[in-house]
PDB file of all heavy atoms in Angstrom:
ATOM      1  N   ARG A 148       1.248  -4.928  -7.419  1.00  0.00           N
ATOM      2  CA  ARG A 148       2.303  -4.891  -6.397  1.00  0.00           C
ATOM      3  C   ARG A 148       3.675  -4.728  -7.042  1.00  0.00           C
ATOM      4  O   ARG A 148       4.522  -4.007  -6.540  1.00  0.00           O
ATOM      5  CB  ARG A 148       2.252  -6.158  -5.550  1.00  0.00           C
ATOM      6  CG  ARG A 148       1.033  -6.220  -4.652  1.00  0.00           C
ATOM      7  CD  ARG A 148       1.114  -7.330  -3.643  1.00  0.00           C
ATOM      8  NE  ARG A 148       0.303  -8.515  -3.763  1.00  0.00           N
ATOM      9  CZ  ARG A 148      -0.982  -8.590  -4.027  1.00  0.00           C
ATOM     10  NH1 ARG A 148      -1.669  -7.527  -4.289  1.00  0.00           N
ATOM     11  NH2 ARG A 148      -1.612  -9.738  -4.046  1.00  0.00           N
ATOM     12  N   VAL A 149       3.891  -5.419  -8.154  1.00  0.00           N
ATOM     13  CA  VAL A 149       5.174  -5.318  -8.864  1.00  0.00           C
ATOM     14  C   VAL A 149       5.362  -3.898  -9.381  1.00  0.00           C
ATOM     15  O   VAL A 149       6.437  -3.307  -9.210  1.00  0.00           O
ATOM     16  CB  VAL A 149       5.251  -6.353 -10.014  1.00  0.00           C
ATOM     17  CG1 VAL A 149       6.470  -6.108 -10.882  1.00  0.00           C
ATOM     18  CG2 VAL A 149       5.256  -7.764  -9.454  1.00  0.00           C
ATOM     19  N   LEU A 150       4.330  -3.336  -9.996  1.00  0.00           N
ATOM     20  CA  LEU A 150       4.428  -1.957 -10.486  1.00  0.00           C
ATOM     21  C   LEU A 150       4.687  -0.978  -9.347  1.00  0.00           C
ATOM     22  O   LEU A 150       5.457  -0.038  -9.496  1.00  0.00           O
ATOM     23  CB  LEU A 150       3.157  -1.554 -11.234  1.00  0.00           C
ATOM     24  CG  LEU A 150       3.027  -2.050 -12.661  1.00  0.00           C
ATOM     25  CD1 LEU A 150       1.678  -1.641 -13.245  1.00  0.00           C
ATOM     26  CD2 LEU A 150       4.148  -1.536 -13.523  1.00  0.00           C
ATOM     27  N   ALA A 151       4.041  -1.203  -8.208  1.00  0.00           N
ATOM     28  CA  ALA A 151       4.252  -0.322  -7.057  1.00  0.00           C
ATOM     29  C   ALA A 151       5.705  -0.352  -6.609  1.00  0.00           C
ATOM     30  O   ALA A 151       6.279   0.678  -6.258  1.00  0.00           O
ATOM     31  CB  ALA A 151       3.326  -0.720  -5.907  1.00  0.00           C
ATOM     32  N   LEU A 152       6.309  -1.533  -6.641  1.00  0.00           N
ATOM     33  CA  LEU A 152       7.725  -1.642  -6.259  1.00  0.00           C
ATOM     34  C   LEU A 152       8.631  -0.938  -7.263  1.00  0.00           C
ATOM     35  O   LEU A 152       9.568  -0.235  -6.895  1.00  0.00           O
ATOM     36  CB  LEU A 152       8.134  -3.109  -6.140  1.00  0.00           C
ATOM     37  CG  LEU A 152       7.612  -3.838  -4.913  1.00  0.00           C
ATOM     38  CD1 LEU A 152       7.915  -5.328  -5.011  1.00  0.00           C
ATOM     39  CD2 LEU A 152       8.238  -3.255  -3.648  1.00  0.00           C
ATOM     40  N   ILE A 153       8.337  -1.123  -8.536  1.00  0.00           N
ATOM     41  CA  ILE A 153       9.200  -0.572  -9.588  1.00  0.00           C
ATOM     42  C   ILE A 153       8.995   0.933  -9.756  1.00  0.00           C
ATOM     43  O   ILE A 153       9.952   1.690  -9.863  1.00  0.00           O
ATOM     44  CB  ILE A 153       8.943  -1.298 -10.931  1.00  0.00           C
ATOM     45  CG1 ILE A 153       9.353  -2.768 -10.807  1.00  0.00           C
ATOM     46  CG2 ILE A 153       9.695  -0.626 -12.072  1.00  0.00           C
ATOM     47  CD1 ILE A 153       8.923  -3.621 -11.982  1.00  0.00           C
ATOM     48  N   LEU A 154       7.746   1.364  -9.786  1.00  0.00           N
ATOM     49  CA  LEU A 154       7.436   2.755 -10.102  1.00  0.00           C
ATOM     50  C   LEU A 154       6.937   3.552  -8.897  1.00  0.00           C
ATOM     51  O   LEU A 154       6.454   4.666  -9.065  1.00  0.00           O
ATOM     52  CB  LEU A 154       6.377   2.809 -11.208  1.00  0.00           C
ATOM     53  CG  LEU A 154       6.746   2.140 -12.522  1.00  0.00           C
ATOM     54  CD1 LEU A 154       5.559   2.146 -13.464  1.00  0.00           C
ATOM     55  CD2 LEU A 154       7.948   2.799 -13.160  1.00  0.00           C
ATOM     56  N   GLY A 155       7.038   3.005  -7.706  1.00  0.00           N
ATOM     57  CA  GLY A 155       6.467   3.624  -6.516  1.00  0.00           C
ATOM     58  C   GLY A 155       6.804   5.086  -6.333  1.00  0.00           C
ATOM     59  O   GLY A 155       5.925   5.920  -6.163  1.00  0.00           O
ATOM     60  N   GLY A 156       8.084   5.430  -6.347  1.00  0.00           N
ATOM     61  CA  GLY A 156       8.489   6.821  -6.122  1.00  0.00           C
ATOM     62  C   GLY A 156       8.004   7.750  -7.217  1.00  0.00           C
ATOM     63  O   GLY A 156       7.524   8.853  -6.943  1.00  0.00           O
ATOM     64  N   LEU A 157       8.112   7.316  -8.451  1.00  0.00           N
ATOM     65  CA  LEU A 157       7.659   8.125  -9.586  1.00  0.00           C
ATOM     66  C   LEU A 157       6.153   8.330  -9.529  1.00  0.00           C
ATOM     67  O   LEU A 157       5.657   9.445  -9.700  1.00  0.00           O
ATOM     68  CB  LEU A 157       8.056   7.445 -10.900  1.00  0.00           C
ATOM     69  CG  LEU A 157       7.681   8.159 -12.189  1.00  0.00           C
ATOM     70  CD1 LEU A 157       8.368   9.514 -12.260  1.00  0.00           C
ATOM     71  CD2 LEU A 157       8.071   7.310 -13.390  1.00  0.00           C
ATOM     72  N   ALA A 158       5.423   7.270  -9.245  1.00  0.00           N
ATOM     73  CA  ALA A 158       3.966   7.370  -9.147  1.00  0.00           C
ATOM     74  C   ALA A 158       3.564   8.283  -7.995  1.00  0.00           C
ATOM     75  O   ALA A 158       2.643   9.093  -8.129  1.00  0.00           O
ATOM     76  CB  ALA A 158       3.355   5.983  -8.969  1.00  0.00           C
ATOM     77  N   ALA A 159       4.249   8.174  -6.865  1.00  0.00           N
ATOM     78  CA  ALA A 159       3.927   9.024  -5.701  1.00  0.00           C
ATOM     79  C   ALA A 159       4.132  10.496  -6.036  1.00  0.00           C
ATOM     80  O   ALA A 159       3.322  11.344  -5.649  1.00  0.00           O
ATOM     81  CB  ALA A 159       4.771   8.620  -4.498  1.00  0.00           C
ATOM     82  N   ARG A 160       5.187  10.820  -6.766  1.00  0.00           N
ATOM     83  CA  ARG A 160       5.420  12.223  -7.160  1.00  0.00           C
ATOM     84  C   ARG A 160       4.334  12.717  -8.106  1.00  0.00           C
ATOM     85  O   ARG A 160       3.882  13.858  -8.015  1.00  0.00           O
ATOM     86  CB  ARG A 160       6.805  12.389  -7.765  1.00  0.00           C
ATOM     87  CG  ARG A 160       7.919  12.337  -6.720  1.00  0.00           C
ATOM     88  CD  ARG A 160       9.281  12.726  -7.275  1.00  0.00           C
ATOM     89  NE  ARG A 160       9.787  11.784  -8.267  1.00  0.00           N
ATOM     90  CZ  ARG A 160      10.393  10.634  -7.982  1.00  0.00           C
ATOM     91  NH1 ARG A 160      10.572  10.278  -6.727  1.00  0.00           N
ATOM     92  NH2 ARG A 160      10.835   9.845  -8.944  1.00  0.00           N
ATOM     93  N   ALA A 161       3.896  11.864  -9.016  1.00  0.00           N
ATOM     94  CA  ALA A 161       2.826  12.250  -9.947  1.00  0.00           C
ATOM     95  C   ALA A 161       1.512  12.475  -9.190  1.00  0.00           C
ATOM     96  O   ALA A 161       0.797  13.441  -9.454  1.00  0.00           O
ATOM     97  CB  ALA A 161       2.655  11.182 -11.027  1.00  0.00           C
ATOM     98  N   VAL A 162       1.203  11.593  -8.241  1.00  0.00           N
ATOM     99  CA  VAL A 162      -0.017  11.739  -7.442  1.00  0.00           C
ATOM    100  C   VAL A 162       0.067  13.007  -6.600  1.00  0.00           C
ATOM    101  O   VAL A 162      -0.893  13.782  -6.527  1.00  0.00           O
ATOM    102  CB  VAL A 162      -0.242  10.502  -6.546  1.00  0.00           C
ATOM    103  CG1 VAL A 162      -1.310  10.764  -5.502  1.00  0.00           C
ATOM    104  CG2 VAL A 162      -0.608   9.298  -7.395  1.00  0.00           C
ATOM    105  N   GLU A 163       1.211  13.252  -5.980  1.00  0.00           N
ATOM    106  CA  GLU A 163       1.376  14.461  -5.167  1.00  0.00           C
ATOM    107  C   GLU A 163       1.159  15.717  -6.004  1.00  0.00           C
ATOM    108  O   GLU A 163       0.461  16.642  -5.590  1.00  0.00           O
ATOM    109  CB  GLU A 163       2.767  14.498  -4.533  1.00  0.00           C
ATOM    110  CG  GLU A 163       2.976  15.722  -3.673  1.00  0.00           C
ATOM    111  CD  GLU A 163       4.358  15.763  -3.030  1.00  0.00           C
ATOM    112  OE1 GLU A 163       5.115  14.788  -3.107  1.00  0.00           O
ATOM    113  OE2 GLU A 163       4.669  16.824  -2.435  1.00  0.00           O
ATOM    114  N   SER A 164       1.716  15.734  -7.199  1.00  0.00           N
ATOM    115  CA  SER A 164       1.540  16.880  -8.090  1.00  0.00           C
ATOM    116  C   SER A 164       0.064  17.074  -8.446  1.00  0.00           C
ATOM    117  O   SER A 164      -0.443  18.204  -8.438  1.00  0.00           O
ATOM    118  CB  SER A 164       2.375  16.671  -9.356  1.00  0.00           C
ATOM    119  OG  SER A 164       2.171  17.708 -10.263  1.00  0.00           O
ATOM    120  N   ALA A 165      -0.631  15.998  -8.740  1.00  0.00           N
ATOM    121  CA  ALA A 165      -2.054  16.084  -9.099  1.00  0.00           C
ATOM    122  C   ALA A 165      -2.882  16.576  -7.916  1.00  0.00           C
ATOM    123  O   ALA A 165      -3.782  17.411  -8.082  1.00  0.00           O
ATOM    124  CB  ALA A 165      -2.557  14.729  -9.580  1.00  0.00           C
TER     125      ALA A 165
END
Side-chain angles (χ1 to χ4, degrees):
R148 290 191 253 314
V149 171
L150 281 177
L152 286 172
I153 295 170
L154 301 174
L157 181 62
R160 286 189 294 279
V162 167
E163 181 180 352
S164 177

